[in-house]
Amino acid sequence: MSLIVQKYGGSSVADVDSIKRVARRIIETKRRGNDVAVVVSAMGDTTDDLIDQAMDVNSRPPAREMDMLLTAGERISMSLLAMSIYAQGERAHSFTGSQAGFMTDARYGAAHIRAVKPDRVAEELGKGKVAIVAGFQGANSLGDDTTLGRGGSDTSAVALAVALEADVCEIYTDVDGVFTADPRIVPTARRIPSVSYEAMLELAASGSKILALRCVEYARRFNMPIHVRSSFSSRPGTLILPEGVDTASIPNVSWQ
Ligand code: ASP
Ligand code: MG
């Protein structure tokens, strides 16, 4: 049995129909014999909308209050996703970042992960449930919620995968992986089947929006395989693998 961490970004959970579709996909992964822990972003443009609302009431909002506000976005998607999984016949348990054991430094809005102790997540997985963790957040030593900076859910997913010793961290997005150019703009762009951490770091540093730089750095540090793929298809995406690790050793690459 493999342990798979799946991360679904905002575009994959933009509305309730998308949440139901993602729930179905998680259940399919589980029913193929895997344990599944999920990291989820806020629905669609929720984070941007919350920032706009904050700016409307205070053009210089206190950083702590901003994090209290923004962590709410992921709380909505995680709980709706858990409910949808129950409605489709499996059990799930959602966790805020702090409940999932994400401990960060004190920098509100740009916190760094200090440690991840996902004991409660592991316990629920052990009961046969799907664990769902709010991305982009943790708690500082005061117990206050912190956020990791925009796009931080990718890093949450890799950090959870490392802490749980998962076999792969799947990052779901709205394109079929990493391409030679943006396939939404350049129709002849080709998918890259696998790429090294170093090449991926260069892409991230040169402004590619596929994965956050910190997420790739974290994965490289701990040799965590990443699979970037689309939540809208079952096709394999792009694998980001440590040197010497073979594609064939990564679970859940192709199915159907
Ligand atoms: N919801 C947060 C953002 O939009 C975190 C994330 O999606 O990774 O930046
Ligand atoms: Mg988002």
Side-chain angles (χ1 to χ4, degrees):
M1 182 187 283
S2 298
L3 171 55
I4 297 175
V5 170
Q6 298 189 326
K7 180 261 176 177
Y8 292 93
S11 60
S12 296
V13 291
D15 50 33
V16 280
D17 283 336
S18 310
I19 286 183
K20 290 180 194 171
R21 193 174 50 80
V22 163
R24 198 155 52 240
R25 184 164 193 137
I26 293 165
I27 289 173
E28 282 167 8
T29 311
K30 178 154 180 58
R31 290 187 178 162
R32 283 196 300 277
N34 304 295
D35 280 335
V36 189
V38 175
V39 170
V40 73
S41 290
M43 294 169 70
D45 296 328
T46 301
T47 306
D48 291 316
D49 295 343
L50 291 172
I51 291 171
D52 288 345
Q53 283 180 310
M55 293 301 162
D56 273 352
V57 296
N58 185 339
S59 59
R60 292 176 55 222
R64 176 184 183 276
E65 301 312 322
M66 203 61 190
D67 277 5
M68 291 297 275
L69 178 69
L70 295 189
T71 50
E74 272 69 14
R75 220 167 151 132
I76 295 170
S77 48
M78 76 181 199
S79 46
L80 288 175
L81 186 55
M83 291 175 199
S84 183
I85 289 172
Y86 272 104
Q88 296 181 52
E90 292 286 338
R91 293 176 307 144
H93 198 109
S94 68
F95 296 92
T96 63
S98 77
Q99 288 171 335
F102 280 77
M103 288 175 266
T104 74
D105 62 20
R107 265 175 285 187
Y108 295 113
H112 283 230
I113 297 170
R114 286 261 187 263
V116 185
K117 300 208 166 79
D119 300 357
R120 291 187 60 194
V121 174
E123 199 182 315
E124 297 303 325
L125 288 172
K127 293 179 193 162
K129 292 188 192 174
V130 174
I132 302 177
V133 175
F136 162 68
Q137 56 180 267
N140 62 21
S141 59
L142 299 171
D144 278 347
D145 283 348
T146 53
T147 64
L148 308 180
R150 297 304 305 270
S153 294
D154 291 347
T155 310
S156 305
V158 169
L160 183 66
V162 168
L164 291 173
E165 298 180 16
D167 296 284
V168 63
C169 180
E170 298 184 332
I171 308 260
Y172 285 89
T173 176
D174 51 5
V175 290
D176 267 327
V178 182
F179 281 70
T180 50
D182 187 337
R184 289 165 297 199
I185 300 166
V186 185
T188 54
R190 280 175 300 110
R191 180 179 60 89
I192 304 168
S194 81
V195 69
S196 66
Y197 294 119
E198 285 69 26
M200 202 59 217
L201 280 174
E202 277 176 34
L203 279 174
S206 67
S208 154
K209 294 275 187 305
I210 300 272
L211 287 178
L213 187 63
R214 253 205 270 166
C215 151
V216 185
E217 281 170 351
Y218 206 107
R220 178 173 67 164
R221 179 145 43 106
F222 295 99
N223 285 322
M224 175 52 63
I226 300 181
H227 187 180
V228 181
R229 65 195 314 184
S230 170
S231 68
F232 298 89
S233 86
S234 56
R235 285 188 287 276
T238 297
L239 285 160
I240 307 162
L241 298 177
E243 216 168 306
V245 170
D246 192 59
T247 305
S249 68
I250 306 299
N252 204 41
V253 170
S254 58
W255 46 283
Q256 278 185 350

